[in-house]
Amino acid sequence: MARGPDMTAKKKRVIASYSEKGGVGKSALAAGLAAVARRHKKVRRVLAGDLDPRGTFTAEVGITEPAFTMNDLLFNDTRNPVSPRGLAAEALIAAPEAWSGLYMIPADRSLAHRETDATTGLEMRLRLSFEGVIEEDDLGVLDLPPRAGGKLVSAGLVAATDVVIPATLDEDGRIGTDEAMATIKLVQDTFNPGLRVVAIVPSIVPPSKYPRRLAAEIAKYLADTYPDYYREDLTIPEYQERREARFACLPITSSTSDHGLAVVAAYDRILTASLNS
Amino acid sequence: MGNNFVQKGASRLRKAPDAAVDPAVPAELQGGAAAKKAAAPAGAAKAGVPAKATAAPAPAAEPQGGTGFFVNRRVVTPQDFEGIASKKDQLRHIESLLEEIDAGHRHVESYVNLNKGILLEYAQANELHLEAGYANFATWAADRLSIDDTYVFELINDSRRIRLLEPLGAAITDLLIRASARKTVVDVLAAKGPEAAKQLVTTAAAKNSKRPRPTQAALQQTARELGFLTDRKELGNSESALPVPTHAAAKRIHAVSTSLLAKNATFTDADALRRAITAAPEDVTAQLDALADLLAQSAKGLAAARKKAQAAIDKKAADAKAAAERAEQRRLSREAAEKERAAKAAGEAAAEGAGTPGGNDVQVSLPGQAGEAEVPAATFSDASA
């Protein structure tokens, strides 16, 4: 099969946060990675894309009423087609000051229309739109919707070079991971053979010396099933600072509390693991 | 960043046509919100996006002027002459527009009456005047339009006439721009049918080439000459049967009335009857007897129906009167209560003032207090004596 443009070249990275279950911390992970990447030495610019019509990531960054959205970027007028190559440059908007250094293609509810859009090449459109836009030392971060495949998930996984799967240590985390891994394989077998799974990271894990039995069971299952990917050392702890940051539309890096710093440290570790993979 | 393209107005990216449509909201509820959202880029500055971004084409907005009666009315502008180079063509264009506007102007009254009448009819049928606090429909309508009560029904009748004449075609209705003229033609229409009405208008119009739109007098004269309306009293007599009611049952009665009216006109045509009696007297007599029986039977039913209808009207009037009396009684009770409260409050204030040395200088005079009580009752007796 013919391969698309070389987005997997050294230092051009687009990390997708993906699970097929909702509520496992996908948007939180995307926002966390974007927040820490802005101040990472190896990252020049952070370019984010929200592929979830609910726009959780967009709202967290504090973008309202944008000129263009992901829906506009993915839409292709078949009567007057516009080549998507490099088009992301026109859809990216500067995030508010608190998120300085971040540029984003936001999402709104209209993006759901693209799930039923049968236009040829929709899956490739986001990837092609990044051409010439994402440069060396830039980092792309994509927040994918919790779906079993579909156009938006496909567009995100085709545009991504790396995937991080957040997994809560419960049944949702397990199912979301299993199904995400199956979809990723489908994409690897077709559109994007170079797509890599960086890690399956335990997400929203309550800090406790005595983990609950179910959490231990799920952790064991993930570790046994995906020994190459499950990374307990990249666990994202559950602290209220994370929810507060989201509520205030601030990056988690704004937090100076011990708990906030612990969350930031977790995202830093995941980012480093991604950049070094 | 990429927004430089947008700032320069050179964006290749366009708004998706469904960008303003929330897929989770039913289509019929999308309208206003979608239009508002379509204009959203104006607010994009909130997110650091330059105002230039609004250059992106937005889906069609609501028509200018909202949903008003005269929405989308056109006004001539200098743009009307764009692309017309020669003065000769410009003159031709102006003359054409003037002619069109002038023709429209002549029909403005018909247009206005037609629509006013339809609105009034609806308001009357649904008793909407009660919502405005009026017990009488005509009073409400007269107040709204600043016209006389009696003209309200004339307006409604003219609107009905315009609708009755519409099937005759534009060539005829264009000649009937006055309400009075329409009245005469509708009389003939009811009595003799549409062909006779057309003939009346075209004949009257042809008589005076200088004034192609015949007046009521000219139409009445022509109608008599053509034998359509032999008795002067017939002119205007059809009015009571012609108004088109809104209720289905009333419409059926109206249809019967119209039919009888047409038959009656034929029956009372003296020349035709004389010819028929001469040709076949037995036949005519038999038919007249049958008709008399039918009318007698109908008259009985009609009398009963009228009695019932009148009873309903009387009851409605009595109910309205009772409701008005109740409302008046409530108003009087409220006023009395308010007066009582005011008196009590003033009494308390006066008592406080009296207990304070050098206190309130304001003298309050109230019924039952010293000021009024000083007027002796005998004064009135004396005066009347």
Side-chain angles (χ1 to χ4, degrees), chain A residues 14-43:
Chain A
V14 178
I15 302 172
S17 173
Y18 178 46
S19 166
E20 289 197 3
K21 276 287 190 177
V24 297
K26 284 183 306 300
S27 300
L29 173 59
L33 288 175
V36 298
R38 293 177 307 130
R39 57 183 201 177
H40 199 284
K41 285 180 192 171
K42 289 184 181 177
V43 177

PDB file of all heavy atoms in Angstrom, chain A residues 14-43:
ATOM      1  N   VAL A  14       3.452  13.553  16.494  1.00  0.00           N
ATOM      2  CA  VAL A  14       2.053  13.885  16.798  1.00  0.00           C
ATOM      3  C   VAL A  14       1.538  12.781  17.717  1.00  0.00           C
ATOM      4  O   VAL A  14       1.427  11.623  17.311  1.00  0.00           O
ATOM      5  CB  VAL A  14       1.187  13.956  15.519  1.00  0.00           C
ATOM      6  CG1 VAL A  14      -0.270  14.254  15.891  1.00  0.00           C
ATOM      7  CG2 VAL A  14       1.714  15.008  14.561  1.00  0.00           C
ATOM      8  N   ILE A  15       1.287  13.139  18.962  1.00  0.00           N
ATOM      9  CA  ILE A  15       0.852  12.142  19.951  1.00  0.00           C
ATOM     10  C   ILE A  15      -0.664  12.196  20.079  1.00  0.00           C
ATOM     11  O   ILE A  15      -1.231  13.275  20.295  1.00  0.00           O
ATOM     12  CB  ILE A  15       1.481  12.421  21.329  1.00  0.00           C
ATOM     13  CG1 ILE A  15       3.015  12.430  21.224  1.00  0.00           C
ATOM     14  CG2 ILE A  15       1.016  11.391  22.346  1.00  0.00           C
ATOM     15  CD1 ILE A  15       3.697  12.889  22.503  1.00  0.00           C
ATOM     16  N   ALA A  16      -1.285  11.033  19.941  1.00  0.00           N
ATOM     17  CA  ALA A  16      -2.739  10.965  20.111  1.00  0.00           C
ATOM     18  C   ALA A  16      -3.067  10.350  21.465  1.00  0.00           C
ATOM     19  O   ALA A  16      -2.444   9.370  21.869  1.00  0.00           O
ATOM     20  CB  ALA A  16      -3.357  10.121  19.002  1.00  0.00           C
ATOM     21  N   SER A  17      -4.029  10.953  22.136  1.00  0.00           N
ATOM     22  CA  SER A  17      -4.526  10.387  23.391  1.00  0.00           C
ATOM     23  C   SER A  17      -5.807   9.657  23.051  1.00  0.00           C
ATOM     24  O   SER A  17      -6.775  10.263  22.574  1.00  0.00           O
ATOM     25  CB  SER A  17      -4.788  11.518  24.387  1.00  0.00           C
ATOM     26  OG  SER A  17      -5.409  11.002  25.539  1.00  0.00           O
ATOM     27  N   TYR A  18      -5.803   8.328  23.275  1.00  0.00           N
ATOM     28  CA  TYR A  18      -6.925   7.554  22.748  1.00  0.00           C
ATOM     29  C   TYR A  18      -7.302   6.381  23.641  1.00  0.00           C
ATOM     30  O   TYR A  18      -6.449   5.648  24.130  1.00  0.00           O
ATOM     31  CB  TYR A  18      -6.548   7.036  21.350  1.00  0.00           C
ATOM     32  CG  TYR A  18      -7.595   6.181  20.683  1.00  0.00           C
ATOM     33  CD1 TYR A  18      -8.938   6.570  20.667  1.00  0.00           C
ATOM     34  CD2 TYR A  18      -7.259   4.975  20.079  1.00  0.00           C
ATOM     35  CE1 TYR A  18      -9.893   5.787  20.068  1.00  0.00           C
ATOM     36  CE2 TYR A  18      -8.214   4.183  19.462  1.00  0.00           C
ATOM     37  CZ  TYR A  18      -9.536   4.598  19.459  1.00  0.00           C
ATOM     38  OH  TYR A  18     -10.490   3.816  18.867  1.00  0.00           O
ATOM     39  N   SER A  19      -8.587   6.220  23.821  1.00  0.00           N
ATOM     40  CA  SER A  19      -9.173   5.031  24.438  1.00  0.00           C
ATOM     41  C   SER A  19     -10.584   4.965  23.891  1.00  0.00           C
ATOM     42  O   SER A  19     -11.146   5.978  23.471  1.00  0.00           O
ATOM     43  CB  SER A  19      -9.211   5.143  25.960  1.00  0.00           C
ATOM     44  OG  SER A  19     -10.066   4.142  26.484  1.00  0.00           O
ATOM     45  N   GLU A  20     -11.144   3.776  23.869  1.00  0.00           N
ATOM     46  CA  GLU A  20     -12.503   3.703  23.328  1.00  0.00           C
ATOM     47  C   GLU A  20     -13.563   3.840  24.397  1.00  0.00           C
ATOM     48  O   GLU A  20     -14.744   3.704  24.103  1.00  0.00           O
ATOM     49  CB  GLU A  20     -12.666   2.438  22.500  1.00  0.00           C
ATOM     50  CG  GLU A  20     -11.881   2.548  21.221  1.00  0.00           C
ATOM     51  CD  GLU A  20     -12.278   1.559  20.161  1.00  0.00           C
ATOM     52  OE1 GLU A  20     -13.218   0.791  20.391  1.00  0.00           O
ATOM     53  OE2 GLU A  20     -11.627   1.567  19.107  1.00  0.00           O
ATOM     54  N   LYS A  21     -13.162   4.115  25.605  1.00  0.00           N
ATOM     55  CA  LYS A  21     -14.136   4.373  26.677  1.00  0.00           C
ATOM     56  C   LYS A  21     -14.011   5.815  27.130  1.00  0.00           C
ATOM     57  O   LYS A  21     -12.891   6.367  27.176  1.00  0.00           O
ATOM     58  CB  LYS A  21     -13.873   3.445  27.859  1.00  0.00           C
ATOM     59  CG  LYS A  21     -14.500   2.072  27.712  1.00  0.00           C
ATOM     60  CD  LYS A  21     -16.005   2.114  27.889  1.00  0.00           C
ATOM     61  CE  LYS A  21     -16.589   0.713  27.976  1.00  0.00           C
ATOM     62  NZ  LYS A  21     -18.039   0.730  28.226  1.00  0.00           N
ATOM     63  N   GLY A  22     -15.128   6.422  27.460  1.00  0.00           N
ATOM     64  CA  GLY A  22     -15.107   7.787  27.968  1.00  0.00           C
ATOM     65  C   GLY A  22     -14.793   7.806  29.461  1.00  0.00           C
ATOM     66  O   GLY A  22     -14.935   6.793  30.150  1.00  0.00           O
ATOM     67  N   GLY A  23     -14.338   8.929  29.936  1.00  0.00           N
ATOM     68  CA  GLY A  23     -14.110   9.103  31.377  1.00  0.00           C
ATOM     69  C   GLY A  23     -12.836   8.472  31.892  1.00  0.00           C
ATOM     70  O   GLY A  23     -12.667   8.289  33.098  1.00  0.00           O
ATOM     71  N   VAL A  24     -11.933   8.129  30.979  1.00  0.00           N
ATOM     72  CA  VAL A  24     -10.685   7.509  31.426  1.00  0.00           C
ATOM     73  C   VAL A  24      -9.531   8.515  31.475  1.00  0.00           C
ATOM     74  O   VAL A  24      -8.408   8.151  31.840  1.00  0.00           O
ATOM     75  CB  VAL A  24     -10.287   6.307  30.526  1.00  0.00           C
ATOM     76  CG1 VAL A  24     -11.336   5.219  30.604  1.00  0.00           C
ATOM     77  CG2 VAL A  24     -10.072   6.750  29.082  1.00  0.00           C
ATOM     78  N   GLY A  25      -9.795   9.743  31.113  1.00  0.00           N
ATOM     79  CA  GLY A  25      -8.761  10.774  31.215  1.00  0.00           C
ATOM     80  C   GLY A  25      -8.052  11.085  29.908  1.00  0.00           C
ATOM     81  O   GLY A  25      -6.900  11.556  29.927  1.00  0.00           O
ATOM     82  N   LYS A  26      -8.723  10.879  28.780  1.00  0.00           N
ATOM     83  CA  LYS A  26      -8.096  11.175  27.483  1.00  0.00           C
ATOM     84  C   LYS A  26      -7.826  12.671  27.319  1.00  0.00           C
ATOM     85  O   LYS A  26      -6.704  13.080  27.005  1.00  0.00           O
ATOM     86  CB  LYS A  26      -9.012  10.743  26.327  1.00  0.00           C
ATOM     87  CG  LYS A  26      -9.075   9.281  26.059  1.00  0.00           C
ATOM     88  CD  LYS A  26      -9.937   8.965  24.864  1.00  0.00           C
ATOM     89  CE  LYS A  26     -11.328   9.553  24.979  1.00  0.00           C
ATOM     90  NZ  LYS A  26     -12.073   9.062  26.146  1.00  0.00           N
ATOM     91  N   SER A  27      -8.884  13.462  27.506  1.00  0.00           N
ATOM     92  CA  SER A  27      -8.723  14.908  27.319  1.00  0.00           C
ATOM     93  C   SER A  27      -7.764  15.479  28.362  1.00  0.00           C
ATOM     94  O   SER A  27      -6.987  16.388  28.073  1.00  0.00           O
ATOM     95  CB  SER A  27     -10.085  15.611  27.413  1.00  0.00           C
ATOM     96  OG  SER A  27     -10.938  15.124  26.416  1.00  0.00           O
ATOM     97  N   ALA A  28      -7.839  14.929  29.573  1.00  0.00           N
ATOM     98  CA  ALA A  28      -6.932  15.387  30.627  1.00  0.00           C
ATOM     99  C   ALA A  28      -5.490  15.088  30.245  1.00  0.00           C
ATOM    100  O   ALA A  28      -4.594  15.924  30.436  1.00  0.00           O
ATOM    101  CB  ALA A  28      -7.276  14.704  31.943  1.00  0.00           C
ATOM    102  N   LEU A  29      -5.286  13.910  29.654  1.00  0.00           N
ATOM    103  CA  LEU A  29      -3.928  13.544  29.238  1.00  0.00           C
ATOM    104  C   LEU A  29      -3.452  14.455  28.101  1.00  0.00           C
ATOM    105  O   LEU A  29      -2.315  14.949  28.125  1.00  0.00           O
ATOM    106  CB  LEU A  29      -3.890  12.077  28.790  1.00  0.00           C
ATOM    107  CG  LEU A  29      -2.577  11.588  28.177  1.00  0.00           C
ATOM    108  CD1 LEU A  29      -1.415  11.745  29.165  1.00  0.00           C
ATOM    109  CD2 LEU A  29      -2.692  10.121  27.728  1.00  0.00           C
ATOM    110  N   ALA A  30      -4.332  14.712  27.131  1.00  0.00           N
ATOM    111  CA  ALA A  30      -3.963  15.590  26.019  1.00  0.00           C
ATOM    112  C   ALA A  30      -3.618  16.989  26.541  1.00  0.00           C
ATOM    113  O   ALA A  30      -2.596  17.580  26.146  1.00  0.00           O
ATOM    114  CB  ALA A  30      -5.105  15.674  25.012  1.00  0.00           C
ATOM    115  N   ALA A  31      -4.454  17.494  27.444  1.00  0.00           N
ATOM    116  CA  ALA A  31      -4.206  18.834  27.987  1.00  0.00           C
ATOM    117  C   ALA A  31      -2.931  18.840  28.834  1.00  0.00           C
ATOM    118  O   ALA A  31      -2.149  19.802  28.805  1.00  0.00           O
ATOM    119  CB  ALA A  31      -5.398  19.283  28.822  1.00  0.00           C
ATOM    120  N   GLY A  32      -2.721  17.766  29.577  1.00  0.00           N
ATOM    121  CA  GLY A  32      -1.517  17.670  30.410  1.00  0.00           C
ATOM    122  C   GLY A  32      -0.260  17.623  29.564  1.00  0.00           C
ATOM    123  O   GLY A  32       0.734  18.324  29.850  1.00  0.00           O
ATOM    124  N   LEU A  33      -0.303  16.809  28.492  1.00  0.00           N
ATOM    125  CA  LEU A  33       0.873  16.725  27.604  1.00  0.00           C
ATOM    126  C   LEU A  33       1.137  18.082  26.941  1.00  0.00           C
ATOM    127  O   LEU A  33       2.286  18.515  26.823  1.00  0.00           O
ATOM    128  CB  LEU A  33       0.655  15.658  26.536  1.00  0.00           C
ATOM    129  CG  LEU A  33       0.717  14.203  27.019  1.00  0.00           C
ATOM    130  CD1 LEU A  33       0.355  13.242  25.885  1.00  0.00           C
ATOM    131  CD2 LEU A  33       2.106  13.865  27.568  1.00  0.00           C
ATOM    132  N   ALA A  34       0.056  18.747  26.509  1.00  0.00           N
ATOM    133  CA  ALA A  34       0.219  20.065  25.867  1.00  0.00           C
ATOM    134  C   ALA A  34       0.800  21.063  26.865  1.00  0.00           C
ATOM    135  O   ALA A  34       1.675  21.875  26.517  1.00  0.00           O
ATOM    136  CB  ALA A  34      -1.128  20.552  25.354  1.00  0.00           C
ATOM    137  N   ALA A  35       0.340  20.973  28.109  1.00  0.00           N
ATOM    138  CA  ALA A  35       0.797  21.924  29.129  1.00  0.00           C
ATOM    139  C   ALA A  35       2.294  21.763  29.402  1.00  0.00           C
ATOM    140  O   ALA A  35       3.046  22.754  29.429  1.00  0.00           O
ATOM    141  CB  ALA A  35      -0.013  21.739  30.412  1.00  0.00           C
ATOM    142  N   VAL A  36       2.715  20.521  29.594  1.00  0.00           N
ATOM    143  CA  VAL A  36       4.143  20.326  29.934  1.00  0.00           C
ATOM    144  C   VAL A  36       5.044  20.488  28.705  1.00  0.00           C
ATOM    145  O   VAL A  36       6.201  20.916  28.837  1.00  0.00           O
ATOM    146  CB  VAL A  36       4.385  18.961  30.620  1.00  0.00           C
ATOM    147  CG1 VAL A  36       3.636  18.877  31.933  1.00  0.00           C
ATOM    148  CG2 VAL A  36       4.007  17.801  29.704  1.00  0.00           C
ATOM    149  N   ALA A  37       4.511  20.171  27.536  1.00  0.00           N
ATOM    150  CA  ALA A  37       5.335  20.263  26.321  1.00  0.00           C
ATOM    151  C   ALA A  37       5.720  21.714  26.020  1.00  0.00           C
ATOM    152  O   ALA A  37       6.780  21.968  25.440  1.00  0.00           O
ATOM    153  CB  ALA A  37       4.596  19.648  25.134  1.00  0.00           C
ATOM    154  N   ARG A  38       4.866  22.641  26.417  1.00  0.00           N
ATOM    155  CA  ARG A  38       5.147  24.063  26.126  1.00  0.00           C
ATOM    156  C   ARG A  38       6.458  24.517  26.744  1.00  0.00           C
ATOM    157  O   ARG A  38       7.096  25.448  26.270  1.00  0.00           O
ATOM    158  CB  ARG A  38       4.014  24.948  26.663  1.00  0.00           C
ATOM    159  CG  ARG A  38       2.689  24.778  25.957  1.00  0.00           C
ATOM    160  CD  ARG A  38       1.637  25.633  26.593  1.00  0.00           C
ATOM    161  NE  ARG A  38       1.558  25.399  28.024  1.00  0.00           N
ATOM    162  CZ  ARG A  38       1.561  26.350  28.949  1.00  0.00           C
ATOM    163  NH1 ARG A  38       1.602  27.606  28.593  1.00  0.00           N
ATOM    164  NH2 ARG A  38       1.513  26.047  30.229  1.00  0.00           N
ATOM    165  N   ARG A  39       6.845  23.865  27.839  1.00  0.00           N
ATOM    166  CA  ARG A  39       8.071  24.315  28.512  1.00  0.00           C
ATOM    167  C   ARG A  39       9.195  23.284  28.392  1.00  0.00           C
ATOM    168  O   ARG A  39      10.204  23.369  29.091  1.00  0.00           O
ATOM    169  CB  ARG A  39       7.772  24.602  29.982  1.00  0.00           C
ATOM    170  CG  ARG A  39       7.184  23.420  30.699  1.00  0.00           C
ATOM    171  CD  ARG A  39       6.828  23.766  32.133  1.00  0.00           C
ATOM    172  NE  ARG A  39       6.743  22.541  32.908  1.00  0.00           N
ATOM    173  CZ  ARG A  39       6.504  22.496  34.195  1.00  0.00           C
ATOM    174  NH1 ARG A  39       6.330  23.609  34.870  1.00  0.00           N
ATOM    175  NH2 ARG A  39       6.462  21.349  34.828  1.00  0.00           N
ATOM    176  N   HIS A  40       8.984  22.293  27.503  1.00  0.00           N
ATOM    177  CA  HIS A  40      10.003  21.257  27.319  1.00  0.00           C
ATOM    178  C   HIS A  40      11.098  21.762  26.384  1.00  0.00           C
ATOM    179  O   HIS A  40      10.808  22.361  25.349  1.00  0.00           O
ATOM    180  CB  HIS A  40       9.357  19.994  26.737  1.00  0.00           C
ATOM    181  CG  HIS A  40      10.176  18.764  26.937  1.00  0.00           C
ATOM    182  ND1 HIS A  40      11.304  18.490  26.190  1.00  0.00           N
ATOM    183  CD2 HIS A  40      10.052  17.727  27.817  1.00  0.00           C
ATOM    184  CE1 HIS A  40      11.824  17.336  26.583  1.00  0.00           C
ATOM    185  NE2 HIS A  40      11.085  16.861  27.578  1.00  0.00           N
ATOM    186  N   LYS A  41      12.342  21.484  26.786  1.00  0.00           N
ATOM    187  CA  LYS A  41      13.478  21.986  25.999  1.00  0.00           C
ATOM    188  C   LYS A  41      13.457  21.492  24.560  1.00  0.00           C
ATOM    189  O   LYS A  41      13.827  22.208  23.638  1.00  0.00           O
ATOM    190  CB  LYS A  41      14.792  21.498  26.647  1.00  0.00           C
ATOM    191  CG  LYS A  41      15.165  22.237  27.909  1.00  0.00           C
ATOM    192  CD  LYS A  41      16.467  21.656  28.433  1.00  0.00           C
ATOM    193  CE  LYS A  41      16.737  22.148  29.847  1.00  0.00           C
ATOM    194  NZ  LYS A  41      17.871  21.429  30.443  1.00  0.00           N
ATOM    195  N   LYS A  42      13.037  20.232  24.386  1.00  0.00           N
ATOM    196  CA  LYS A  42      13.124  19.650  23.041  1.00  0.00           C
ATOM    197  C   LYS A  42      11.949  20.045  22.146  1.00  0.00           C
ATOM    198  O   LYS A  42      11.918  19.676  20.970  1.00  0.00           O
ATOM    199  CB  LYS A  42      13.169  18.125  23.153  1.00  0.00           C
ATOM    200  CG  LYS A  42      14.470  17.593  23.713  1.00  0.00           C
ATOM    201  CD  LYS A  42      14.431  16.086  23.675  1.00  0.00           C
ATOM    202  CE  LYS A  42      15.718  15.516  24.245  1.00  0.00           C
ATOM    203  NZ  LYS A  42      15.684  14.037  24.290  1.00  0.00           N
ATOM    204  N   VAL A  43      10.994  20.743  22.717  1.00  0.00           N
ATOM    205  CA  VAL A  43       9.788  21.077  21.932  1.00  0.00           C
ATOM    206  C   VAL A  43       9.781  22.570  21.622  1.00  0.00           C
ATOM    207  O   VAL A  43       9.862  23.409  22.511  1.00  0.00           O
ATOM    208  CB  VAL A  43       8.508  20.692  22.696  1.00  0.00           C
ATOM    209  CG1 VAL A  43       7.273  21.106  21.900  1.00  0.00           C
ATOM    210  CG2 VAL A  43       8.485  19.195  22.979  1.00  0.00           C
TER     211      VAL A  43
END
